[in-house]
Amino acid sequence: MNTSSMGRTGAFTELMAIRAGDEPAPGEVSITGEDPLFQSPFRIGETAADALAARGVAANDLWQLRTGRRQSVSVDVRAAAATSLSGGHLTLRRDARGHYQPIPVSPALKHMVALTQPWQTADGRWLLPHTNLPHLERRVLDVLNCESTPEDVARGVSRWNSDELEDAIAAARACAGKVRTPQEWLQHPHGAYLASRPVVEITKIAESDPEPLPPGLQPASGIRVLDLTRILAGPTAGIGMAEHGADVLMVTAPSLPQVPDFVRDTSHGKRSCFLDINRADQAARLRELVREADVFIDGYRPGRLEARGFGVDELVKMRPGLVHVTVNCYGSGGPWASRAGWDQVAQAVTGICHTQGLATKAGQPKLTPVFMCDFLTGFLGTFGALVALARRAREGGSYRVQVSLCQSAMLLQRQGLMDRFDHAPGHLTGTEFEALAVCDDGTCYGDLKSLGPVLKMSETPPRWFRTTPQLGSDRAEWLAR
C-alpha cells in the first residue's frame, strides 16, 4: 500500500483538519505497508503512521517558514507499529563479547504487569487497577485490603461492585478503570465530552507578538522545550521535539519515582537536570528557565503543577508566547478531568480491553500487546506543539495544546477493526530492525542499539542529536542558540 496524503482518510485527515491551512501537495506524504504487526484487531500501525505523518507535515510547516521549501515525508506502517513496543524488545545492549543482546525486563515492571490486568468484580463486570509506581500501588492495595500478588488482587477486586470500586480508588488518588464497551463509553458523560472535542486541542490563550523561528538547520532548531513528564506518553512528546532539533531539557527531582526501563527508552536526544520545585530556590530556577523557553510539556496529575505556581496561566505570564502542552489520561475537561490514569486504564474505560478480549476469544477483557495509547498520545503531543509553534511564528500568541490517552484510544477505535490478525508476528524481522536501528555508545546504560526514529523526511531526517543522558546529569540551563 502506498498512499499519498491527498488520498488517505482516517486519522491523518482528522489531524490535517486540526492543523488547518493548505493541504499538503500530492506526493508530499507517503505511507507504505500495512497492519497487522500485532495480534490485535486494532489498526495500531496505520494509526501511528498517520499520526507520525501528520507530525512530519507540521515539521514541514516550520521548515517552509525557515526556507520557503517543503520536503517529502514518509512512514512505514510496520515500523510505526513497532514504536509501541518498549523495553528489551527494541533496545539492545552490547555484551562483553561485543554482541548486542535484549535487555531483560526489570522484575518491578514484570510485577506491575502481573497486577495491572482486568479482574472480575462482584457484579460480574471487570475492573483494571493500576500499580505502576510504589505509592500508587500502595493506595490501590489499601482500598482492596489485600497483598501485592495477582491472586490477592483478584480476590480483593471480586469483593466490590465495579462502579463503587472505580470511584473508591479514584477517591484514594490512585488509578483504576472499569472495563466498558465502546458504546458504554460514548454514552458515559466523560466519553460523550471527549467525543465532542478534537483529538488534539490547540487553543490560543493569550496575545503576544509573532516570533520568527531561531536560526538553525532543523525544523525545530533553537526551540527550547521543558519536559516535565514521566513514563512514556509525555516523554514521547518530548523525544519527538528533540528529533526535529529542539533543545529538550527533562526536569525531574531525585525523589520522584521512575520506571528505569522507560527512562532509558524515552530520553534519547534530550538533556536531563534535577530541580525540586518544593524548594524555593529550585522553583525560582525553574521560573528562570520558563522565561526563556518556547514549549512546556506538563505530564503531572491535573492540578499538581498549578498548586505549585506552575499552572498554564502563571506560565504564560512568565513567558508570553509559550506553547503549553498537557499530556494526561482523561483530557481537557468533563467529569473525570481531575483523575489520573495510564495507558491500561484508558484501554479499559474506552472499550479497547472489551474489544481485544472478544476478538482474541480470550473469554474475558484483555489488554492489547503494546502501549499504543501512550506512544500515540506522545506523537500527537509533538504534532500539536509544532502546529502551535508555526501559528506563533505567523500570528503570535501563547497556546495551549491538550492531548490525552483516552482521546488517543478513541482515535484508534475510529479507524475500524481488522478481521484477520492471527498471522501477525508481534515484532519486526531482524532485517527490518537493523534498517532502523541507532547505536548509542557510552551511555550510562552501556552501549545501546535501539529502534530509531521511523518518521522520514528528505532534507531533515529526524534523529537523536545527543547521547542518551543519565537522569540529573546536566545543569539546569539552556544551551546557547
Side-chain angles (χ1 to χ4, degrees), residues 333-357:
W336 286 359
S338 64
R339 292 190 180 188
W342 306 85
D343 179 291
Q344 299 94 326
V345 174
Q347 289 193 40
V349 300
T350 63
I352 286 178
C353 275
H354 171 82
T355 302
Q356 179 76 20

Side-chain angles (χ1 to χ4, degrees), residues 20-61:
D22 295 334
E23 285 285 326
E28 179 175 319
V29 177
S30 175
I31 300 175
T32 57
E34 58 186 351
D35 280 312
L37 185 64
F38 306 114
Q39 292 193 2
S40 173
F42 296 104
R43 300 182 184 278
I44 293 170
E46 292 172 28
T47 311
D50 278 6
L52 284 165
R55 194 188 100 184
V57 172
N60 227 357
D61 292 341

Side-chain angles (χ1 to χ4, degrees), residues 370-406:
V370 289
F371 301 125
M372 78 287 180
C373 295
D374 272 320
F375 290 97
L376 184 55
T377 302
F379 299 156
L380 296 177
T382 306
F383 164 78
L386 295 171
V387 170
L389 286 169
R391 292 183 186 173
R392 187 186 75 169
R394 291 191 297 261
E395 63 186 73
S398 301
Y399 292 84
R400 188 171 197 186
V401 176
Q402 294 166 291
V403 294
S404 71
L405 301 172
C406 284

Side-chain angles (χ1 to χ4, degrees), residues 104-180:
V105 176
S106 69
L109 188 55
K110 288 182 179 179
H111 178 69
M112 181 277 289
V113 170
L115 299 187
T116 304
Q117 296 292 334
W119 308 104
Q120 195 160 29
T121 55
D123 55 354
R125 299 299 297 263
W126 297 81
L127 181 131
L128 182 144
H130 205 287
T131 60
N132 199 19
L133 297 174
H135 67 292
L136 297 177
E137 177 184 347
R138 184 70 263 160
R139 292 172 189 172
V140 168
L141 298 179
D142 286 347
V143 172
L144 296 176
N145 191 25
C146 71
E147 299 299 318
S148 184
T149 67
E151 298 77 14
D152 224 30
V153 169
R155 282 192 291 271
V157 171
S158 72
R159 295 191 287 261
W160 287 76
N161 286 338
S162 54
D163 289 321
E164 293 173 355
L165 181 54
E166 186 176 48
D167 289 342
I169 291 177
R173 297 183 62 75
C175 304
K178 174 184 173 179
V179 175
R180 293 171 172 80

Side-chain angles (χ1 to χ4, degrees), residues 251-267:
V251 180
T252 188
S255 59
L256 287 177
Q258 302 276 358
V259 178
D261 310 54
F262 295 159
V263 173
R264 178 194 65 223
D265 294 340
T266 59
S267 298

Side-chain angles (χ1 to χ4, degrees), residues 294-307:
D294 299 287
V295 178
F296 186 106
I297 309 176
D298 176 2
Y300 279 71
R301 176 190 288 267
R304 284 290 299 274
L305 288 182
E306 184 178 9

